Every structure is written in C-alpha cells, then in structure tokens.
Amino acid sequence: MTGANSGIGRVTARTLALQGYRVFLACRSEARTRPVLEEIQSLSDGTAQAEFLLLDLGDLGSVRRCADAFLKRGLHLHLLICNAGLAGQRGMTTSGFELAFGTCHVGHFLLVELLKERLVESAPARIVMLSSKAHRHAQGIDFDRVRQPTRSRTALQEYAVAKLANLLHAKELARRLEGTGVTTYAVHPGVVATDVWRALPSMLAWVIKLFMRSEEDGAATTLYCATDPRVTGQTGRYYADSREEQPSPVACDPALAAELWRRSEGWISRG
C-alpha cells in the first residue's frame, strides 16, 4: 500500500499486518517508515510480515522501479491500497503535473497499470482507492491546468480535482476489470488529522482540525473495503463511514472517466 508511514496508512498497514497479511509499505522515506515497521514487529512479537518499498508517486520512474521490485519477488497480489495523498501543497511533481493531481492520480494510475496483470492472476483481488468527499467541489477536470503549477492559494481546488480523478479511476477500472475477479472501491475516510494537511496555512489548518476524526476512525472504511466479505461482489462504488454512498454527478460521468483514462495512458507512456 502507498503512503503507509503515517496517518491512515500507518493504521491500515499495522492492522492488516497484525491480521496476518504480508504487507508492503510503499513510501518515499525508509527512515520515516522504519518506526512503523518496528511498531508492527513489536505488536506481533516479530511474527508479522511487513516490508518497505521505495516509492515517490510524483516521479514516474520511481513508480516503475517500485512495481518492478515487487513483481520480481514473484508473489501473488490480492490487495492494492492507493492511500498516499497530499493537500494544501503547491507546485509540480518531478514528472510535470500539478502537485496534488500528479501525486494522487497520475502516480497511482501508473502503479495500478503496472500491477494490474499480477492482480488479475491473483484474483480474487481488490483495489482500494482513497478519494474524498472533497471531490464534490470539483465541477470537472481541466486537462491543461493539471499540467501546470498549482494556482489556488490553498491548493484545495486542485485537491478536489485530484480526488475526483481517484473516484473516476476506480469506476473506470471496475468497468475494464469486470469478470476478472478484481474489484475496486473508492473511499472517503473522513476529514482525518494526518500529515496530508501539513502545508495548509496555520489558521485554516486549525479550523479544519476542529472537525477532524482520529486516524483509527479514518482507516475504518479503508479496512472495510479491503477485507469485509460483505463487499466481495461490489465494484466501482464509493464508500464513507463503512457504507456505500452516492458520489457527485460528475464522478458518475462515463465520458469523463473514459477521457481521463485516455489522457492518463498517454501521460504514462511518455513519462
């Protein structure tokens, strides 16, 4: 899973490892991931299987190296959790995309494509995509702007577009993987007090944190979609508070989902 060294990802990785899953924590920093690995080993008396994989979602070369490192192990892949994200940070990724969009969507799109065949071979398998109710603030995707630096002061407009892209990606994946035994789930974890908000202006961050839930509460819906047998036959749907919800109308637009897929394929072929 991506983004597993803090926040929701840390709780999710720890829970899965303690439940007996072999977990790979795909993160940018081994030093920041090591405490999570040590925590998992401590809680399991050294019996849990958890490993670090180097991954920078903003660098498509790094995404390819990460996928290759996993595939070379020759293991089955029954669960892929695309958890990593950021909000309130401005700029561009190494690979030339608006920072939130490139990290949250483009990097994950490539990772899924590189691991998709292994997921199908390992079926039944699940892909859980961390979206957000913030997707409701996006009226669509400006495909020119996502190739430019962040424009808004808070970067929350761009975050909303990135989370819309995550949801559209999960829906289009479900359509393309129908009948393979691989199912997809888009998740709103709630507004959670994690590092994802670390770059927001201090006053805005303080106001948002008044309404935040704990990391454990935030991980609950991810874990529900990742492991609960009640959602086994469901795919391409959106969940919050461990139940299905209806996303925004634009998130249900098949033409937009298809266009996002077409452009994403072009981006990763050149990146």
Side-chain angles (χ1 to χ4, degrees):
M1 67 175 295
T2 67
N5 60 8
S6 64
I8 299 168
R10 178 184 64 84
V11 173
T12 303
R14 181 186 67 199
T15 303
L16 291 172
L18 295 178
Q19 289 179 355
Y21 288 82
R22 184 173 183 177
V23 179
F24 289 85
L25 288 71
C27 308
R28 286 188 300 171
S29 168
E30 185 172 5
R32 292 187 61 199
T33 307
R34 193 174 301 115
V36 184
L37 297 172
E38 292 171 353
E39 178 188 25
I40 289 170
Q41 293 306 320
S42 174
L43 292 171
S44 68
D45 295 324
T47 61
Q49 298 183 82
E51 300 179 43
F52 168 78
L53 286 175
L54 180 63
L55 172 66
D56 180 352
L57 287 164
D59 179 348
L60 298 185
S62 174
V63 176
R64 290 190 171 88
R65 290 188 292 273
C66 177
D68 187 57
F70 174 80
L71 292 171
K72 283 181 176 177
R73 287 169 164 81
L75 299 171
H76 290 297
L77 181 58
H78 295 287
L79 177 61
L80 175 59
I81 302 178
C82 298
N83 168 84
L86 50 82
Q89 297 186 50
R90 305 176 75 250
M92 293 189 75
T93 66
T94 301
S95 296
F97 298 90
E98 190 282 318
L99 191 56
F101 188 84
T103 303
C104 297
H105 171 66
V106 182
H108 279 131
F109 184 89
L110 175 57
L111 184 65
V112 172
E113 286 301 288
L114 294 171
L115 298 177
K116 190 165 61 178
E117 183 176 343
R118 183 62 53 85
L119 285 159
V120 172
E121 293 171 352
S122 306
R126 301 184 186 190
I127 301 170
V128 180
M129 192 77 62
L130 269 286
S131 182
S132 169
K133 71 175 182 180
H135 83 273
R136 300 184 186 278
H137 300 296
Q139 302 305 308
I141 300 175
D142 184 329
F143 291 106
D144 292 325
R145 285 190 61 173
V146 299
R147 300 304 308 270
Q148 301 170 11
T150 313
R151 292 187 185 181
S152 70
R153 189 175 68 85
T154 63
L156 293 181
Q157 294 174 21
E158 288 80 2
Y159 177 73
V161 171
K163 295 293 102 178
L164 171 63
N166 288 148
L167 216 165
L168 290 164
H169 183 200
K171 284 186 168 294
E172 184 66 10
L173 266 173
R175 188 185 70 80
R176 291 171 178 262
L177 292 172
E178 185 176 3
T180 65
V182 181
T183 49
T184 73
Y185 309 82
V187 169
H188 168 56
V191 183
V192 183
T194 70
D195 282 350
V196 74
W197 307 104
R198 59 186 175 273
L200 285 177
S202 57
M203 182 56 69
L204 180 57
W206 180 82
V207 171
I208 288 176
K209 286 180 180 179
L210 294 176
F211 303 95
M212 287 182 179
R213 58 175 62 182
S214 71
E215 294 172 353
E216 285 72 19
D217 286 345
T221 304
T222 298
L223 290 165
Y224 171 73
C225 290
T227 64
D228 199 292
R230 288 173 290 183
V231 298
T232 298
Q234 300 176 7
T235 188
R237 304 183 189 182
Y238 173 65
Y239 302 82
D241 293 321
S242 298
R243 63 176 181 267
E244 185 182 349
E245 287 197 0
Q246 183 66 23
S248 71
V250 71
C252 300
D253 182 348
L256 180 58
E259 178 67 6
L260 174 64
W261 187 282
R262 185 186 69 81
R263 289 180 180 263
S264 298
E265 281 188 322
W267 293 329
I268 65 171
S269 71
R270 296 188 295 270

